[in-house]
Amino acid sequence: RELIPLLQESDNAVIAMFKCIEGTTRSKVIGCIMRAIDGLLTDGGSFVDGDSVTVKAHSLGQKLILKHIHLLISQFTKRLTSDSKAANLDDDVATPNGADKVHKRNPTDGLQLNILCRVSELLVSASEVEDENIETMERLCSLLVPSLKFDSHPNHLYVMRTVSSLIPKISDNAAISHYYSLSKLLGPNKAASGMTSNEARTIISSAITGIGSRGIGSNLNRVATAVVELNAASTAYVNEHDFDRMLPVLNGLGASNDSEGSWFDLSKARSGSECKDSMSSIAGPRVLLPLMFTCFHLLYDSDGVISRASSKALKAIVSTCLDQIQSSKEEQENSSHNAWLKFIESTFMPCLKVGIMAKNLPARRSFVLLVSHVSKLFKGFQSVHLYGDLECLIREDDPDQDFFLN
């Protein structure tokens, strides 16, 4: 702490220390640098001025970091985007005891991620909103979002909160670039249910709201509101859903296209709404991604009401895709350019393919029945991805002979 005022007089040592953060820097050196940065973030909280102690909004150490924060983020970017295995943030999250006995726990594990998050919070708290600060926050988001996992580990929750605080500060296009990654975190993880922590799901929903709130009155804003409701946790019971908020959204998604709150209704911007130009990049079915992934996640829910309502909603989006593909004459002539066709082929169907491998029997049955529903509706459709040729295995006249029901 005594050295911090000296560094304030000549901060070349701070610049040299930051420049040591490279992709090839040894882990022991990185550990020393991280602890030094931790000292600047933590220990410079006050300084003696005569007989009084004055506390600043930003300490001396924090001011030193803010002065060179762009250099620090640049060096972190070099390290974390390099080919060096030691620079991988995945190693920063501690593995459970006994999970990997070969891996020797490093005392500095998690410190890089912790420092990066704290530096992000420091930048967000800075009163000056300059273009350079916005660019730095965008780079921070690009570093942190890929490190998010389907996990409720404290480090991951810390990263989620940091990303959620950064999203409202960055530019529209930068925020939109993370829409898919954040949405996917609400869905299943391979053949498992995915993120089950209510706290984690609430934080991710808040981050998506940070993107949606940029276009007030747009379809994206309405979808973000629905995502928050669909992931709402009960305030009266521990680890319980808020059914009063969830079920209306699920029932709306399972309704017909002309109903308010349906998939098609949420996918289109309402007339008269003012929406920023950059928001047009999430127009059409892609705006529905967080809702679709959440519905897939809810198929694993032990509550039968929730899982059945989710299954109905997912069947409704298949019907909506077919209706929109058929209703557009221009797209029918060149169906490869149809946004709804691309959506069901490249986003919806891959989730089904993974889901039918689930070990959870009720969830696997729901995925199999969804495959049956797709093959039935897209019978004779010229697409190898929609399994229209499997329609012959459906026997509505004799359920005992139906392949998908048995």
Side-chain angles (χ1 to χ4, degrees):
R1 176 176 293 188
E2 291 77 10
L3 292 176
I4 293 178
L6 294 177
L7 293 175
Q8 182 75 5
E9 297 296 329
S10 178
D11 53 3
N12 289 332
V14 176
I15 297 174
M17 178 175 65
F18 288 174
K19 288 185 176 180
C20 289
I21 303 175
E22 294 280 356
T24 55
T25 307
R26 298 176 67 88
S27 59
K28 290 184 178 180
V29 177
I30 286 294
C32 293
I33 296 172
M34 293 300 106
R35 284 189 288 272
I37 296 175
D38 176 67
L40 291 174
L41 288 168
T42 307
D43 293 336
S46 62
F47 66 93
V48 179
D49 183 13
D51 296 329
S52 63
V53 177
T54 306
V55 179
K56 295 292 186 180
H58 284 127
S59 68
L60 291 178
Q62 291 172 346
K63 287 180 178 179
L64 277 172
I65 291 179
L66 276 173
K67 186 176 181 180
H68 305 290
I69 197 167
H70 307 295
L71 171 63
L72 177 59
I73 301 306
S74 297
Q75 296 305 114
F76 260 121
T77 303
K78 290 180 182 179
R79 177 167 176 80
L80 300 177
T81 56
S82 71
D83 295 331
S84 174
K85 293 182 179 179
N88 195 332
L89 269 183
D90 290 349
D91 297 334
D92 279 347
V93 178
T95 55
N97 292 333
D100 185 4
K101 296 182 179 180
V102 178
H103 174 70
K104 186 177 180 180
R105 185 76 169 88
N106 191 312
T108 62
D109 279 355
L111 194 54
Q112 291 183 74
L113 193 58
N114 181 278
I115 292 296
L116 197 55
C117 290
R118 290 167 63 189
V119 168
S120 303
E121 292 174 353
L122 180 63
L123 186 59
V124 170
S125 67
S127 57
E128 303 86 2
V129 182
E130 303 173 355
D131 291 340
E132 191 176 8
N133 284 359
I134 293 175
E135 292 177 3
T136 302
M137 284 188 269
E138 291 174 358
R139 292 161 69 184
L140 277 168
C141 264
S142 299
L143 290 175
L144 292 174
V145 170
S147 70
L148 296 176
K149 305 293 180 184
F150 296 89
D151 195 358
S152 57
H153 187 283
N155 278 356
H156 288 146
L157 291 176
Y158 194 11
V159 178
M160 289 176 190
R161 293 190 193 96
T162 304
V163 170
S164 183
S165 66
L166 286 171
I167 288 292
K169 302 285 186 178
I170 61 180
S171 66
D172 294 342
N173 289 329
I176 289 171
S177 67
H178 302 300
Y179 189 71
Y180 177 81
S181 298
L182 293 173
S183 299
K184 201 171 189 306
L185 288 171
L186 296 174
N189 179 21
K190 298 181 181 179
S193 61
M195 188 187 299
T196 57
S197 167
N198 286 331
E199 182 181 6
R201 299 187 70 82
T202 300
I203 296 171
I204 295 300
S205 300
S206 176
I208 292 175
T209 301
I211 301 175
S213 61
R214 297 162 179 273
I216 302 300
S218 70
N219 55 345
L220 181 56
N221 187 47
R222 296 171 61 219
V223 167
T225 302
V227 170
V228 172
E229 297 296 301
L230 200 53
N231 290 279
S234 173
T235 56
Y237 302 97
V238 179
N239 293 328
E240 288 287 343
H241 301 302
D242 191 335
F243 295 98
D244 293 336
R245 296 172 64 184
M246 289 180 65
L247 289 176
V249 177
L250 283 174
N251 292 335
L253 294 175
S256 59
N257 287 348
D258 55 355
S259 301
E260 184 174 358
S262 66
W263 294 104
F264 181 64
D265 178 57
L266 291 174
S267 69
K268 60 181 182 180
R270 289 184 172 178
S271 58
S273 63
E274 296 182 2
C275 184
K276 297 180 181 180
D277 293 339
S278 60
M279 290 300 158
S280 62
S281 60
I282 315 184
R286 287 187 64 247
V287 76
L288 304 172
L289 285 172
L291 290 174
M292 185 200 72
F293 284 124
T294 301
C295 286
F296 275 122
H297 165 77
L298 293 176
L299 290 179
Y300 293 85
D301 199 279
S302 58
D303 190 290
V305 174
I306 295 295
S307 58
R308 287 193 297 271
S310 301
S311 179
K312 181 181 178 182
L314 290 169
K315 288 181 179 179
I317 196 174
V318 176
S319 302
T320 299
C321 288
L322 179 62
D323 292 342
Q324 297 310 308
I325 292 170
Q326 293 178 337
S327 64
S328 177
K329 295 180 180 179
E330 180 181 346
E331 305 304 37
Q332 277 185 324
E333 294 176 0
N334 190 0
S335 60
S336 62
H337 295 303
N338 190 292
W340 289 90
L341 178 61
K342 287 186 176 181
F343 176 78
I344 192 171
E345 284 185 335
S346 62
T347 307
F348 188 88
M349 292 307 296
C351 293
L352 290 189
K353 293 177 185 179
V354 176
I356 59 178
M357 296 184 288
K359 294 182 180 180
N360 183 305
L361 293 180
R364 185 169 65 198
R365 177 178 172 80
S366 297
F367 280 105
V368 170
L369 292 178
L370 281 170
V371 173
S372 171
H373 185 69
V374 172
S375 63
K376 177 183 176 181
L377 291 185
F378 286 89
K379 173 185 176 182
F381 202 84
Q382 298 299 317
S383 174
V384 296
H385 304 289
L386 300 176
Y387 303 117
D389 55 334
L390 297 182
E391 193 271 340
C392 61
L393 301 177
I394 302 174
R395 294 291 301 274
E396 294 181 344
D397 59 328
D398 188 0
D400 291 337
Q401 299 297 321
D402 192 302
F403 171 81
F404 296 102
L405 294 177
N406 299 281

